[in-house]
Each structure stands twice: as C-alpha cells, then as structure tokens.
Amino acid sequence: MMRKAAAWLRRRAENVAAAMVAVMFAAFVVQIVFRYFLNFPIGWTSELSVVAWLYITLLGSAFWLKESEEVRFDLISGRLGPVGRRVVGFVVALSAVVLFGMALPATVKYVAFMKVESSSYLKIRLDVLYSVYVVFAVAIIVRYGWALVGAVRGRATEE
C-alpha cells in the first residue's frame, strides 16, 4: 500500500516537474521574441525561469529523484563489501539528518523573515517563494531518516 502511494506521488512529482520545464521553456521563448524580434526586453520571463528552475531542482530532488539516480562519489564505498556500504550509508544518513535537522529552525526563521521582501517583477513575497526550501529540508530529513532505519535493519542504501 505504501509503495503504491509512493509510486503515485513520484509520478505526480514527475508531472509537476515536466509542467515546470514547459513553463520555463515557454518563458524562454517569450523572452527571445520580445528581446530580439520586438526590441522590447522584459524581465518577468527571466524571473519566472529562475523560480521554475529552483522549484524543479528542490522538489525534484526531494520527491522525484530515486536514491539510485543521485550523483555520488563512491570511490570509498564502491570498494567496500555489503557491511561496509551499510556502515557508510548509516554515517551519511545520520550526518544528513543531524545537519539538516540542526539547520531547520534557523532556515524556517530566515524564510519567515523574508516576508518583508518580494521578487522584482512577479512581486511574489520571498517567504512564499523560498518556502520550497523548507519543504525540501523536511523531505531530506525524512528520506535520510528512512535510510538510517534501513541501515540499522541491515539494508544497504543501493537496495
């Protein structure tokens, strides 16, 4: 049941990411047309592209990207056996949970503080805009908390 729900959520996250890429592409084309064909540069398209990229990156890595699809530097863990990989997975997961957990209160405070500013062209309050990072941080804590449980139970992260 949980795997089915997770697979459904992963597909919806993929749909959202694809829609954001389409929005980014459309904004890019509009920017080119206005700048080079109409000689009337506009700024909101650039800002929209940056916001879409920010959301694609953070939400995609939090909810869509699988553990096996992440970029890794496994020079050490690749040479280890299953037990060594579990130990390295445990240390990495514990480090991620502790570091993101320690940074979370300050992150929430800073994002809340940003309510006094808004974006230049789209006039989106920056606390609303950057709240996606809080969602990302919580998702990373949960994801690596689950990896930590898996490492304690004897499952390597690649499994």
Side-chain angles (χ1 to χ4, degrees), residues 18-32:
M20 286 188 197
V21 168
V23 165
M24 220 168 87
F25 179 72
F28 179 70
V29 170
V30 168
Q31 183 177 21
I32 288 172

Side-chain angles (χ1 to χ4, degrees), residues 1-2 10 26 35-36 38 52 61 63 65-66 68 77-78 85 97 106 109 117 129 133 137-138 145 152 158:
M1 179 79 165
M2 290 295 288
R10 183 169 281 126
R35 180 176 300 259
Y36 295 110
L38 302 176
S61 65
F63 297 111
L65 196 65
K66 295 178 184 173
S68 61
S77 65
R85 281 196 296 274
V97 169
K109 278 185 185 177
E117 295 284 332
L129 191 64
Y133 185 78
V138 169
V152 168
E158 290 83 22

Side-chain angles (χ1 to χ4, degrees), residues 128-141:
V128 173
L129 191 64
Y130 293 134
S131 63
V132 69
Y133 185 78
V134 176
V135 172
F136 165 77
V138 169
I140 292 300
I141 291 170

Side-chain angles (χ1 to χ4, degrees), residues 103-137:
L104 190 60
T107 301
V108 171
K109 278 185 185 177
Y110 185 73
V111 168
F113 168 75
M114 292 304 289
K115 71 182 175 193
V116 298
E117 295 284 332
S118 64
S119 63
S120 299
Y121 292 99
L122 299 175
K123 301 299 180 202
I124 302 170
R125 279 187 12 206
L126 291 185
D127 63 331
V128 173
L129 191 64
Y130 293 134
S131 63
V132 69
Y133 185 78
V134 176
V135 172
F136 165 77

